[in-house]
Amino acid sequence: MRALLIMLALATGTSASAQLRLPVIVPLGRSSAPPPQLVGIDALRADFLARAGTDTAYFGSDSAVLGAPAQAVLQAQASWLRQHPEVVVRIEGHADPSDTRDHALAIGARRAEEVRNYLVLLGVPAAQLGTMSWGKERPGPPRAVTVLVH
């Protein structure tokens, strides 16, 4: 084996000791590598959810008026958004599954706009916020508005 290493060393122009490298053996189940880290948009979404607590604010039945629980959720979201002015969010309005198609689109739009206005009132730049109503085409949480980082 030593003769083979010396021959390889002579052929490559390096010393035999430079060629001899033992592999590092890590026992199974004990990885020395750190867990994978989220990067980019996934990391921002995870941080938003961790710090704001949720991405969803709920409304009363057939209402676009923000109640105290929804305001508390939006205050936490606004705090995060003010710290991340580079992030754009889409505010998605949802309706009740029993609403008609037209009513679902209309109330979803009013709810999304109400959330947008409240976030602007809390100091979030309007350019950071987009709104959308899904109506019945893409069901979401009933009577809710979801703030999605993207």
Side-chain angles (χ1 to χ4, degrees), residues 96-114:
D96 291 325
S98 61
D99 288 339
T100 65
R101 183 179 185 277
D102 290 341
H103 183 70
L105 281 171
I107 196 159
R110 286 196 309 272
R111 288 173 175 162
E113 194 59 33
E114 185 72 17

Side-chain angles (χ1 to χ4, degrees), residues 5 9 12-20:
L5 286 175
T12 60
T14 60
S15 71
S17 61
Q19 290 292 319
L20 184 59

Side-chain angles (χ1 to χ4, degrees), residues 16-146:
S17 61
Q19 290 292 319
L20 184 59
R21 300 200 187 230
L22 297 175
V24 176
I25 299 172
V26 177
L28 290 176
R30 294 186 193 171
S31 174
S32 63
Q37 298 293 315
L38 295 175
V39 294
I41 193 69
D42 292 330
L44 286 171
R45 287 178 181 145
D47 189 52
F48 177 75
L49 288 173
R51 295 182 189 268
T54 182
D55 61 359
T56 306
Y58 291 92
F59 288 80
S61 182
D62 201 33
S63 172
V65 176
L66 285 170
Q71 289 177 359
V73 166
L74 295 172
Q75 288 168 3
Q77 292 176 356
S79 175
W80 189 90
L81 289 167
R82 285 190 309 267
Q83 294 172 4
H84 296 86
E86 75 284 2
V87 174
V88 175
V89 296
R90 182 175 63 218
I91 303 166
E92 297 183 347
H94 301 284
D96 291 325
S98 61
D99 288 339
T100 65
R101 183 179 185 277
D102 290 341
H103 183 70
L105 281 171
I107 196 159
R110 286 196 309 272
R111 288 173 175 162
E113 194 59 33
E114 185 72 17
V115 166
R116 182 182 185 281
N117 291 339
Y118 191 68
L119 290 172
V120 169
L121 182 69
L122 294 174
V124 179
Q128 207 172 340
L129 310 168
T131 61
M132 167 176 259
S133 177
W134 285 110
K136 294 180 96 149
E137 278 69 28
R138 187 169 165 194
R143 299 184 306 274
V145 169
T146 308

